[in-house]
Coordinates of all heavy atoms in Angstrom, one line a residue:
M1 N 210.9 -161.1 9.6 CA 209.9 -161.2 10.7 C 209.1 -159.9 10.7 O 209.6 -158.8 10.5 CB 210.6 -161.4 12.0 CG 209.6 -161.4 13.2 SD 210.4 -161.4 14.8 CE 211.6 -162.6 14.7
L2 N 207.8 -160.1 10.9 CA 206.9 -158.9 11.0 C 207.0 -158.3 12.3 O 207.3 -159.0 13.3 CB 205.4 -159.3 10.7 CG 205.1 -159.8 9.3 CD1 203.6 -160.3 9.3 CD2 205.3 -158.7 8.3
R3 N 206.8 -157.0 12.4 CA 206.7 -156.2 13.6 C 205.3 -155.7 13.6 O 205.0 -154.8 12.9 CB 207.7 -155.1 13.7 CG 207.7 -154.4 15.0 CD 208.9 -154.9 15.9 NE 209.0 -154.0 17.0 CZ 209.2 -154.4 18.2 NH1 209.3 -155.7 18.5 NH2 209.3 -153.5 19.2
I4 N 204.4 -156.3 14.4 CA 203.0 -155.9 14.4 C 202.7 -155.1 15.7 O 203.1 -155.4 16.8 CB 202.1 -157.2 14.4 CG1 202.5 -158.0 13.1 CG2 200.6 -156.9 14.4 CD1 201.8 -159.4 13.1
S5 N 201.9 -154.0 15.5 CA 201.5 -153.2 16.6 C 200.1 -153.6 17.1 O 199.1 -153.3 16.5 CB 201.5 -151.7 16.1 OG 201.3 -150.9 17.2
C6 N 200.1 -154.2 18.2 CA 198.8 -154.6 18.9 C 198.1 -153.3 19.3 O 198.8 -152.4 19.8 CB 199.1 -155.5 20.1 SG 197.6 -155.9 21.1
P7 N 196.8 -153.2 19.0 CA 196.1 -152.0 19.4 C 196.1 -151.7 20.9 O 196.0 -150.6 21.4 CB 194.7 -152.2 19.0 CG 194.7 -153.2 17.9 CD 195.9 -154.1 18.3
W8 N 196.4 -152.8 21.8 CA 196.4 -152.6 23.2 C 197.8 -152.6 23.8 O 198.0 -151.9 24.8 CB 195.6 -153.7 23.9 CG 194.1 -153.7 23.5 CD1 193.2 -153.0 24.2 CD2 193.5 -154.2 22.4 NE1 192.0 -153.1 23.6 CE2 192.1 -153.9 22.5 CE3 193.9 -155.0 21.4 CZ2 191.2 -154.3 21.5 CZ3 193.0 -155.4 20.4 CH2 191.7 -155.1 20.5
C9 N 198.7 -153.3 23.2 CA 200.1 -153.4 23.8 C 201.2 -152.7 23.1 O 202.3 -152.6 23.6 CB 200.4 -154.9 23.8 SG 199.2 -156.0 24.6
G10 N 200.9 -152.3 21.8 CA 202.0 -151.7 21.1 C 202.7 -152.7 20.2 O 202.4 -153.8 20.1
P11 N 203.9 -152.2 19.6 CA 204.6 -153.0 18.7 C 205.3 -154.2 19.4 O 205.9 -154.1 20.4 CB 205.7 -152.1 18.1 CG 205.3 -150.7 18.5 CD 204.4 -150.8 19.7
R12 N 205.1 -155.4 18.8 CA 205.7 -156.7 19.2 C 206.2 -157.5 18.0 O 205.6 -157.3 16.9 CB 204.8 -157.5 20.1 CG 204.2 -156.8 21.3 CD 205.3 -156.7 22.4 NE 204.7 -156.3 23.7 CZ 204.4 -155.1 24.1 NH1 204.6 -154.1 23.3 NH2 204.0 -154.8 25.3
D13 N 207.1 -158.4 18.2 CA 207.5 -159.3 17.1 C 206.5 -160.3 16.8 O 205.7 -160.8 17.7 CB 208.8 -159.9 17.5 CG 210.0 -158.9 17.5 OD1 209.9 -157.9 16.9 OD2 211.0 -159.2 18.2
E14 N 206.5 -160.8 15.5 CA 205.5 -161.7 15.0 C 205.3 -163.0 15.8 O 204.2 -163.5 15.9 CB 205.9 -162.0 13.6 CG 205.0 -163.0 12.9 CD 205.4 -163.3 11.4 OE1 206.4 -162.7 11.0 OE2 204.8 -164.1 10.8
P15 N 206.4 -163.6 16.4 CA 206.2 -164.9 17.2 C 205.2 -164.7 18.3 O 204.7 -165.7 18.8 CB 207.6 -165.2 17.7 CG 208.5 -164.6 16.7 CD 207.8 -163.3 16.3
E16 N 204.9 -163.5 18.8 CA 203.9 -163.3 19.8 C 202.5 -163.5 19.3 O 201.5 -163.5 20.1 CB 204.0 -162.0 20.5 CG 205.3 -161.8 21.3 CD 205.3 -160.6 22.2 OE1 204.2 -160.0 22.4 OE2 206.3 -160.2 22.6
Y17 N 202.3 -163.5 18.0 CA 200.9 -163.5 17.4 C 200.6 -164.8 16.7 O 201.5 -165.6 16.3 CB 200.9 -162.4 16.4 CG 201.1 -161.0 16.9 CD1 202.3 -160.4 17.0 CD2 200.0 -160.2 17.4 CE1 202.5 -159.2 17.5 CE2 200.2 -159.0 17.9 CZ 201.5 -158.4 18.0 OH 201.6 -157.2 18.5
A18 N 199.3 -165.0 16.6 CA 198.8 -166.1 15.8 C 198.0 -165.5 14.6 O 197.1 -164.7 14.8 CB 197.9 -167.0 16.6
F19 N 198.2 -166.0 13.4 CA 197.5 -165.6 12.2 C 196.1 -166.2 12.2 O 196.0 -167.4 12.5 CB 198.3 -166.0 11.0 CG 197.6 -165.6 9.7 CD1 197.5 -164.3 9.3 CD2 197.1 -166.6 8.9 CE1 196.9 -164.0 8.1 CE2 196.5 -166.3 7.7 CZ 196.4 -165.0 7.3
G20 N 195.1 -165.5 12.0 CA 193.7 -166.0 12.0 C 193.0 -166.0 10.6 O 191.8 -166.2 10.6
G21 N 193.8 -165.8 9.6 CA 193.2 -165.8 8.3 C 192.6 -164.5 7.8 O 192.8 -163.5 8.4
E22 N 191.9 -164.6 6.7 CA 191.3 -163.4 6.1 C 190.2 -162.8 7.0 O 189.4 -163.6 7.6 CB 190.7 -163.8 4.7 CG 190.2 -162.7 3.9 CD 189.6 -163.2 2.6 OE1 190.2 -164.1 2.0 OE2 188.7 -162.6 2.1
S23 N 190.1 -161.6 7.1 CA 189.1 -160.9 7.9 C 187.9 -160.5 7.0 O 188.0 -160.5 5.7 CB 189.6 -159.7 8.6 OG 190.1 -158.8 7.7
H24 N 186.8 -160.1 7.6 CA 185.6 -159.7 6.9 C 185.0 -160.8 6.0 O 184.4 -160.5 5.0 CB 185.8 -158.4 6.1 CG 186.4 -157.3 6.9 ND1 185.7 -156.6 7.8 CD2 187.7 -156.8 7.0 CE1 186.4 -155.7 8.4 NE2 187.7 -155.8 7.9
V25 N 185.1 -162.0 6.4 CA 184.4 -163.1 5.8 C 183.1 -163.3 6.5 O 183.0 -163.5 7.7 CB 185.2 -164.5 5.9 CG1 184.5 -165.6 5.3 CG2 186.6 -164.3 5.2
V26 N 182.0 -163.1 5.7 CA 180.7 -163.1 6.3 C 180.1 -164.5 6.3 O 180.1 -165.2 5.3 CB 179.7 -162.2 5.5 CG1 178.3 -162.2 6.1 CG2 180.3 -160.8 5.6
R27 N 179.7 -165.0 7.5 CA 179.1 -166.4 7.6 C 177.7 -166.3 7.0 O 176.9 -165.5 7.3 CB 179.0 -166.7 9.1 CG 178.4 -168.1 9.3 CD 178.3 -168.3 10.8 NE 177.7 -169.6 11.1 CZ 178.3 -170.7 11.6 NH1 179.6 -170.6 11.8 NH2 177.7 -171.8 11.8
P28 N 177.4 -167.3 6.1 CA 176.1 -167.3 5.5 C 175.0 -167.8 6.5 O 175.3 -168.5 7.5 CB 176.2 -168.2 4.3 CG 177.4 -169.1 4.6 CD 178.3 -168.3 5.5
T29 N 173.8 -167.7 6.1 CA 172.7 -168.2 7.0 C 172.7 -169.7 6.8 O 173.2 -170.3 5.8 CB 171.3 -167.7 6.5 OG1 171.1 -168.0 5.1 CG2 171.3 -166.1 6.7
P30 N 172.1 -170.5 7.8 CA 172.2 -171.9 7.8 C 171.4 -172.6 6.7 O 171.7 -173.8 6.4 CB 171.6 -172.3 9.2 CG 171.6 -171.1 10.0 CD 171.6 -170.0 9.1
D31 N 170.5 -171.9 6.0 CA 169.7 -172.5 5.0 C 170.3 -172.5 3.6 O 169.6 -172.8 2.6 CB 168.3 -171.9 5.0 CG 168.4 -170.4 4.8 OD1 169.4 -169.8 5.0 OD2 167.3 -169.9 4.4
V32 N 171.6 -172.1 3.4 CA 172.1 -172.0 2.1 C 172.6 -173.4 1.6 O 172.7 -174.3 2.3 CB 173.4 -171.1 2.1 CG1 172.9 -169.6 2.5 CG2 174.5 -171.6 3.0
D33 N 172.8 -173.5 0.3 CA 173.2 -174.8 -0.3 C 174.6 -175.1 0.0 O 175.4 -174.3 0.5 CB 172.9 -174.7 -1.8 CG 173.8 -173.7 -2.5 OD1 174.7 -173.1 -1.9 OD2 173.4 -173.4 -3.7
D34 N 175.0 -176.4 -0.3 CA 176.3 -176.9 0.0 C 177.5 -176.1 -0.7 O 178.5 -175.9 -0.1 CB 176.5 -178.3 -0.4 CG 175.6 -179.3 0.5 OD1 175.2 -178.8 1.6 OD2 175.4 -180.4 0.1
A35 N 177.2 -175.7 -1.9 CA 178.3 -174.9 -2.6 C 178.6 -173.6 -1.9 O 179.7 -173.2 -1.8 CB 177.8 -174.6 -4.0
T36 N 177.5 -172.9 -1.4 CA 177.7 -171.7 -0.6 C 178.5 -171.9 0.6 O 179.4 -171.2 1.0 CB 176.4 -171.0 -0.4 OG1 175.7 -170.8 -1.6 CG2 176.6 -169.7 0.3
W37 N 178.2 -173.1 1.4 CA 178.9 -173.4 2.6 C 180.4 -173.7 2.3 O 181.3 -173.3 3.0 CB 178.3 -174.6 3.3 CG 177.3 -174.2 4.3 CD1 175.9 -174.3 4.3 CD2 177.5 -173.5 5.5 NE1 175.3 -173.8 5.4 CE2 176.3 -173.3 6.2 CE3 178.7 -173.0 6.1 CZ2 176.2 -172.6 7.4 CZ3 178.5 -172.3 7.4 CH2 177.3 -172.1 8.0
A38 N 180.6 -174.4 1.2 CA 182.0 -174.8 0.8 C 182.7 -173.5 0.5 O 183.9 -173.4 0.8 CB 182.0 -175.7 -0.4
Q39 N 182.1 -172.6 -0.2 CA 182.7 -171.3 -0.5 C 183.1 -170.6 0.8 O 184.3 -170.1 0.9 CB 181.8 -170.4 -1.3 CG 182.2 -169.0 -1.6 CD 183.3 -168.9 -2.7 OE1 183.4 -169.8 -3.5 NE2 184.0 -167.9 -2.7
Y40 N 182.2 -170.6 1.7 CA 182.5 -169.9 3.0 C 183.6 -170.6 3.8 O 184.5 -169.9 4.3 CB 181.2 -169.9 3.9 CG 181.4 -169.5 5.3 CD1 181.8 -168.2 5.7 CD2 181.3 -170.5 6.3 CE1 182.0 -167.9 7.0 CE2 181.5 -170.2 7.6 CZ 181.9 -168.9 8.0 OH 182.1 -168.6 9.3
L41 N 183.6 -171.9 3.8 CA 184.6 -172.6 4.6 C 186.0 -172.7 4.0 O 187.0 -172.7 4.8 CB 184.1 -174.1 4.9 CG 182.8 -174.2 5.8 CD1 182.4 -175.6 5.8 CD2 183.1 -173.7 7.2
F42 N 186.1 -172.8 2.7 CA 187.3 -173.2 2.1 C 187.9 -172.2 1.1 O 189.1 -172.3 0.9 CB 187.2 -174.5 1.4 CG 186.7 -175.6 2.3 CD1 185.5 -176.2 2.0 CD2 187.5 -176.0 3.4 CE1 185.0 -177.2 2.9 CE2 187.0 -177.0 4.2 CZ 185.8 -177.6 4.0
Q43 N 187.2 -171.3 0.6 CA 187.6 -170.4 -0.4 C 188.0 -169.1 0.1 O 187.2 -168.4 0.8 CB 186.6 -170.2 -1.5 CG 186.2 -171.5 -2.3 CD 187.4 -172.1 -3.0 OE1 188.1 -171.4 -3.7 NE2 187.5 -173.4 -2.9
R44 N 189.3 -168.6 -0.1 CA 189.7 -167.3 0.4 C 190.3 -166.6 -0.8 O 190.8 -167.2 -1.8 CB 190.7 -167.5 1.5 CG 190.1 -168.1 2.8 CD 189.1 -167.2 3.4 NE 188.5 -167.7 4.6 CZ 187.3 -168.3 4.6 NH1 186.6 -168.4 3.5 NH2 186.8 -168.8 5.7
E45 N 190.5 -165.3 -0.7 CA 190.9 -164.5 -1.8 C 192.4 -164.7 -2.1 O 192.8 -164.9 -3.2 CB 190.7 -163.0 -1.5 CG 189.3 -162.6 -1.5 CD 188.6 -162.6 -2.8 OE1 189.3 -162.3 -3.8 OE2 187.5 -163.0 -2.9
N46 N 193.3 -164.8 -1.0 CA 194.7 -165.0 -1.2 C 195.3 -164.0 -2.2 O 196.0 -164.5 -3.2 CB 195.0 -166.4 -1.4 CG 196.5 -166.7 -1.2 OD1 197.2 -166.0 -0.4 ND2 197.0 -167.7 -1.9
P47 N 195.1 -162.7 -2.1 CA 195.6 -161.8 -3.2 C 197.1 -161.6 -3.1 O 197.8 -161.8 -2.1 CB 194.9 -160.5 -2.8 CG 194.7 -160.6 -1.4 CD 194.5 -162.0 -1.0
K48 N 197.6 -161.2 -4.2 CA 199.0 -160.7 -4.3 C 198.9 -159.2 -4.2 O 198.6 -158.6 -5.1 CB 199.6 -161.1 -5.6 CG 201.1 -160.7 -5.8 CD 201.7 -161.2 -7.1 CE 203.1 -160.8 -7.2 NZ 203.7 -161.2 -8.5
G49 N 199.1 -158.7 -3.0 CA 199.0 -157.3 -2.7 C 198.3 -157.1 -1.4 O 198.5 -157.8 -0.4
V50 N 197.4 -156.1 -1.3 CA 196.7 -155.8 -0.1 C 195.7 -156.8 0.4 O 194.9 -157.3 -0.4 CB 196.0 -154.4 -0.3 CG1 195.2 -154.1 1.0 CG2 197.0 -153.3 -0.6
Q51 N 195.8 -157.2 1.6 CA 195.0 -158.3 2.2 C 194.5 -157.8 3.6 O 195.3 -157.3 4.3 CB 195.7 -159.6 2.3 CG 194.8 -160.7 3.0 CD 195.4 -162.1 2.8 OE1 195.1 -162.7 1.7 NE2 196.1 -162.6 3.7
F52 N 193.3 -158.1 3.9 CA 192.7 -157.8 5.2 C 192.8 -159.1 6.0 O 192.3 -160.1 5.6 CB 191.3 -157.3 5.1 CG 191.1 -156.0 4.4 CD1 191.1 -155.9 3.0 CD2 191.0 -154.9 5.1 CE1 191.0 -154.7 2.4 CE2 190.8 -153.6 4.5 CZ 190.8 -153.6 3.1
E53 N 193.5 -159.0 7.2 CA 193.7 -160.2 8.0 C 193.3 -160.1 9.5 O 193.3 -159.0 10.0 CB 195.3 -160.5 7.9 CG 195.8 -160.7 6.6 CD 197.3 -160.8 6.5 OE1 198.0 -160.3 7.5 OE2 197.8 -161.4 5.5
R54 N 193.1 -161.2 10.1 CA 192.8 -161.3 11.5 C 194.1 -161.8 12.2 O 194.7 -162.8 11.7 CB 191.6 -162.2 11.9 CG 190.3 -161.8 11.2 CD 189.2 -162.7 11.6 NE 189.6 -164.0 11.3 CZ 188.9 -165.1 11.8 NH1 187.9 -164.9 12.6 NH2 189.3 -166.3 11.4
W55 N 194.4 -161.2 13.3 CA 195.6 -161.7 14.1 C 195.2 -161.7 15.6 O 194.3 -160.9 16.0 CB 196.8 -160.8 13.9 CG 197.4 -160.9 12.6 CD1 197.0 -160.4 11.4 CD2 198.6 -161.7 12.3 NE1 197.9 -160.8 10.4 CE2 198.9 -161.5 10.9 CE3 199.5 -162.4 13.1 CZ2 200.0 -162.1 10.3 CZ3 200.6 -163.0 12.5 CH2 200.9 -162.8 11.1
C56 N 195.8 -162.6 16.3 CA 195.5 -162.7 17.8 C 196.9 -162.5 18.5 O 197.9 -163.1 18.1 CB 194.9 -164.0 18.2 SG 194.7 -164.2 19.9
H57 N 196.9 -161.6 19.5 CA 198.1 -161.4 20.3 C 198.1 -162.5 21.3 O 198.0 -162.3 22.5 CB 198.1 -160.0 20.9 CG 199.5 -159.6 21.4 ND1 199.7 -158.5 22.1 CD2 200.7 -160.3 21.3 CE1 201.0 -158.4 22.4 NE2 201.6 -159.5 22.0
S58 N 198.4 -163.8 20.9 CA 198.2 -164.9 21.7 C 199.2 -165.0 22.9 O 198.9 -165.6 23.9 CB 198.2 -166.2 20.9 OG 199.4 -166.2 20.1
Y59 N 200.4 -164.5 22.7 CA 201.4 -164.5 23.8 C 201.5 -163.1 24.4 O 202.6 -162.8 25.0 CB 202.8 -165.0 23.3 CG 202.8 -166.5 23.0 CD1 202.7 -166.9 21.6 CD2 202.8 -167.4 24.0 CE1 202.7 -168.2 21.3 CE2 202.8 -168.8 23.7 CZ 202.7 -169.2 22.4 OH 202.7 -170.5 22.0
G60 N 200.5 -162.4 24.3 CA 200.4 -161.1 25.0 C 199.0 -160.9 25.6 O 198.7 -161.7 26.5
C61 N 198.3 -160.0 25.2 CA 197.0 -159.7 25.8 C 195.9 -160.7 25.4 O 194.8 -160.7 26.0 CB 196.5 -158.3 25.5 SG 196.3 -158.0 23.7
G62 N 196.1 -161.4 24.3 CA 195.1 -162.4 23.9 C 193.9 -161.8 23.1 O 193.0 -162.5 22.8
Q63 N 194.1 -160.6 22.7 CA 193.0 -159.9 21.9 C 193.1 -160.2 20.4 O 194.3 -160.2 19.9 CB 193.0 -158.4 22.2 CG 192.7 -158.0 23.6 CD 191.3 -158.3 24.0 OE1 190.4 -158.0 23.2 NE2 191.0 -158.9 25.1
W64 N 192.0 -160.3 19.8 CA 192.0 -160.4 18.3 C 191.8 -159.0 17.7 O 191.2 -158.1 18.3 CB 190.8 -161.2 17.8 CG 191.0 -162.7 18.0 CD1 190.6 -163.4 19.1 CD2 191.5 -163.6 17.1 NE1 191.0 -164.7 18.9 CE2 191.5 -164.8 17.7 CE3 192.1 -163.4 15.8 CZ2 192.0 -166.0 17.0 CZ3 192.6 -164.5 15.2 CH2 192.5 -165.8 15.8
F65 N 192.4 -158.8 16.6 CA 192.3 -157.5 15.9 C 192.6 -157.7 14.4 O 192.9 -158.8 14.0 CB 193.3 -156.4 16.4 CG 194.7 -156.9 16.4 CD1 195.5 -156.5 15.4 CD2 195.2 -157.6 17.4 CE1 196.9 -156.9 15.3 CE2 196.6 -158.0 17.4 CZ 197.4 -157.7 16.4
N66 N 192.4 -156.7 13.6 CA 192.6 -156.8 12.1 C 193.8 -156.0 11.7 O 194.1 -154.9 12.3 CB 191.3 -156.2 11.4 CG 190.1 -157.0 11.6 OD1 190.1 -158.2 11.4 ND2 189.0 -156.4 12.1
I67 N 194.4 -156.4 10.7 CA 195.4 -155.6 10.1 C 195.2 -155.6 8.5 O 194.6 -156.5 8.0 CB 196.9 -156.0 10.4 CG1 197.2 -157.3 9.7 CG2 197.1 -156.1 11.8 CD1 198.7 -157.7 9.8
V68 N 195.7 -154.6 7.9 CA 195.8 -154.6 6.4 C 197.2 -154.7 6.1 O 198.0 -153.8 6.5 CB 195.1 -153.3 5.9 CG1 195.2 -153.3 4.3 CG2 193.7 -153.1 6.4
R69 N 197.6 -155.7 5.3 CA 199.0 -156.0 5.0 C 199.2 -156.2 3.5 O 198.3 -156.9 2.9 CB 199.4 -157.2 5.8 CG 200.9 -157.6 5.6 CD 201.3 -158.8 6.5 NE 200.6 -160.0 6.2 CZ 201.0 -160.9 5.3 NH1 202.2 -160.7 4.7 NH2 200.3 -162.0 5.0
D70 N 200.3 -155.7 3.0 CA 200.6 -156.0 1.6 C 201.4 -157.4 1.6 O 202.4 -157.5 2.2 CB 201.5 -154.9 1.0 CG 201.7 -155.1 -0.5 OD1 202.0 -156.2 -0.9 OD2 201.6 -154.0 -1.2
T71 N 200.9 -158.3 0.9 CA 201.5 -159.7 0.9 C 202.7 -159.8 0.1 O 203.5 -160.8 0.2 CB 200.5 -160.7 0.4 OG1 200.1 -160.4 -0.9 CG2 199.2 -160.8 1.3
V72 N 203.0 -158.8 -0.6 CA 204.3 -158.8 -1.4 C 205.4 -158.1 -0.6 O 206.5 -158.7 -0.5 CB 204.1 -158.0 -2.8 CG1 205.4 -157.9 -3.5 CG2 203.0 -158.7 -3.6
T73 N 205.1 -157.0 0.0 CA 206.2 -156.3 0.7 C 206.1 -156.5 2.2 O 207.0 -156.1 2.9 CB 206.0 -154.7 0.5 OG1 204.8 -154.3 1.0 CG2 206.1 -154.4 -1.0
H74 N 205.0 -157.1 2.7 CA 204.8 -157.3 4.1 C 204.6 -156.0 4.9 O 204.6 -156.0 6.1 CB 205.9 -158.2 4.8 CG 205.9 -159.6 4.2 ND1 204.9 -160.5 4.3 CD2 206.9 -160.1 3.4 CE1 205.3 -161.6 3.7 NE2 206.5 -161.4 3.1
E75 N 204.4 -154.9 4.2 CA 204.1 -153.7 4.9 C 202.7 -153.7 5.5 O 201.8 -154.1 4.8 CB 204.2 -152.5 3.9 CG 203.9 -151.2 4.5 CD 203.8 -150.1 3.4 OE1 203.8 -150.3 2.2 OE2 203.6 -148.9 3.9
I76 N 202.7 -153.3 6.7 CA 201.4 -153.3 7.4 C 200.8 -151.8 7.2 O 201.4 -150.9 7.7 CB 201.5 -153.6 8.9 CG1 202.0 -155.1 9.0 CG2 200.2 -153.4 9.7 CD1 202.3 -155.6 10.4
L77 N 199.7 -151.8 6.5 CA 199.1 -150.4 6.2 C 198.3 -149.8 7.3 O 198.3 -148.6 7.5 CB 198.3 -150.6 4.9 CG 199.0 -151.2 3.7 CD1 198.1 -151.4 2.6 CD2 200.2 -150.3 3.3
T78 N 197.6 -150.7 8.0 CA 196.9 -150.1 9.2 C 196.5 -151.3 10.1 O 196.5 -152.5 9.7 CB 195.6 -149.4 8.8 OG1 195.0 -148.7 9.9 CG2 194.6 -150.3 8.1
V79 N 196.2 -151.0 11.4 CA 195.8 -151.9 12.4 C 194.5 -151.4 13.0 O 194.4 -150.2 13.3 CB 196.8 -152.1 13.5 CG1 196.3 -153.1 14.6 CG2 198.2 -152.6 12.9
Y80 N 193.5 -152.2 13.1 CA 192.2 -151.7 13.7 C 191.5 -152.8 14.5 O 191.8 -154.0 14.2 CB 191.3 -151.1 12.6 CG 191.0 -152.1 11.5 CD1 189.7 -152.7 11.4 CD2 191.9 -152.3 10.5 CE1 189.4 -153.5 10.4 CE2 191.5 -153.2 9.4 CZ 190.3 -153.8 9.4 OH 190.0 -154.7 8.3
Q81 N 190.6 -152.4 15.4 CA 190.0 -153.4 16.3 C 188.9 -154.2 15.6 O 188.3 -153.7 14.6 CB 189.5 -152.6 17.5 CG 190.6 -152.0 18.3 CD 190.0 -151.4 19.6 OE1 188.9 -151.5 19.9 NE2 190.9 -150.6 20.3
M82 N 188.6 -155.4 16.1 CA 187.5 -156.2 15.7 C 186.2 -155.4 15.8 O 186.1 -154.7 16.8 CB 187.4 -157.5 16.4 CG 188.6 -158.4 16.3 SD 188.8 -158.8 14.5 CE 188.4 -160.5 14.5
G83 N 185.3 -155.5 14.9 CA 184.1 -154.8 15.0 C 184.1 -153.4 14.3 O 183.1 -152.8 14.0
A84 N 185.3 -152.9 14.1 CA 185.4 -151.6 13.4 C 185.2 -151.9 11.9 O 185.4 -153.0 11.4 CB 186.8 -151.0 13.5
G85 N 184.7 -150.9 11.2 CA 184.4 -151.1 9.8 C 185.7 -151.3 9.0 O 186.8 -151.0 9.4
K86 N 185.5 -151.9 7.8 CA 186.6 -152.2 6.9 C 187.2 -150.8 6.4 O 186.4 -150.0 5.8 CB 186.1 -153.0 5.7 CG 187.2 -153.6 4.9 CD 186.6 -154.5 3.8 CE 187.6 -155.2 3.0 NZ 187.0 -156.1 2.0
P87 N 188.4 -150.5 6.7 CA 189.0 -149.2 6.3 C 189.0 -149.1 4.7 O 189.2 -150.1 4.0 CB 190.4 -149.2 6.9 CG 190.7 -150.6 7.1 CD 189.5 -151.3 7.3
A88 N 188.9 -147.9 4.3 CA 188.9 -147.6 2.8 C 190.4 -147.5 2.4 O 191.0 -146.5 2.5 CB 188.2 -146.3 2.5
I89 N 190.9 -148.6 1.9 CA 192.2 -148.7 1.4 C 192.1 -149.3 0.0 O 191.5 -150.3 -0.2 CB 193.1 -149.6 2.3 CG1 193.3 -148.9 3.6 CG2 194.4 -149.9 1.6 CD1 194.1 -149.6 4.6
E90 N 192.8 -148.7 -1.0 CA 192.8 -149.2 -2.3 C 193.5 -150.6 -2.4 O 194.5 -150.8 -1.8 CB 193.5 -148.3 -3.3 CG 192.7 -147.1 -3.6 CD 193.3 -146.2 -4.7 OE1 193.9 -146.8 -5.6 OE2 193.2 -145.0 -4.7
T91 N 192.8 -151.6 -3.0 CA 193.4 -152.9 -3.1 C 193.8 -153.2 -4.5 O 193.5 -152.6 -5.4 CB 192.3 -154.0 -2.7 OG1 191.2 -153.8 -3.5 CG2 192.0 -153.8 -1.2
Ligands
ZN101 ZN1 198.2 -157.2 22.8

C-alpha cells in the first residue's frame, strides 16, 4: 500500500485517494484531426520507471494534486500542487 502525503493534509494511506491518471497531458484545440483526438483520449506513456500522476484526496480534503512516482519501486519522489510546473526529475 502506498503512503501518499497530501499537500494539505499530510501523509495518509492509499485507500483515501483516487488515482487520476497521467498528469501534464495537454488537451489539443478542437480543430485537430481524429488521430490527434484519439492520441489525447486513449494513449498514455505508462512507463516502467518514473511517472507523473494526478491523485485526488477523495476521502479527505477532496483536492487534486500531482505526484512523481517510480512505477517499479512505488517510491514517491515528490508531491506538488496542480498548476505548479513539472518538476525537473530525470526520467
Ligand atoms: Zn488532503
Side-chain angles (χ1 to χ4, degrees):
M1 178 186 314
L2 293 175
R3 182 100 171 140
I4 301 171
S5 185
C6 172
W8 293 272
C9 306
R12 300 287 194 277
D13 290 336
E14 182 181 352
E16 290 192 16
Y17 296 91
F19 178 70
E22 184 179 327
S23 60
H24 303 287
V25 177
V26 178
R27 183 186 176 104
T29 59
D31 58 342
V32 297
D33 61 14
D34 290 345
T36 304
W37 268 111
Q39 173 77 22
Y40 166 71
L41 292 173
F42 303 115
Q43 299 295 315
R44 295 295 178 259
E45 292 291 325
N46 194 24
K48 182 178 181 181
V50 175
Q51 174 166 279
F52 295 80
E53 302 172 338
R54 299 181 305 163
W55 286 79
C56 178
H57 194 186
S58 52
Y59 290 101
C61 63
Q63 295 291 315
W64 284 91
F65 57 95
N66 295 304
I67 71 171
V68 182
R69 182 176 66 91
D70 189 313
T71 60
V72 177
T73 64
H74 298 294
E75 178 187 5
I76 296 173
L77 303 173
T78 189
V79 177
Y80 56 103
Q81 295 183 7
M82 296 302 248
K86 193 174 183 178
I89 294 177
E90 286 189 32
T91 57

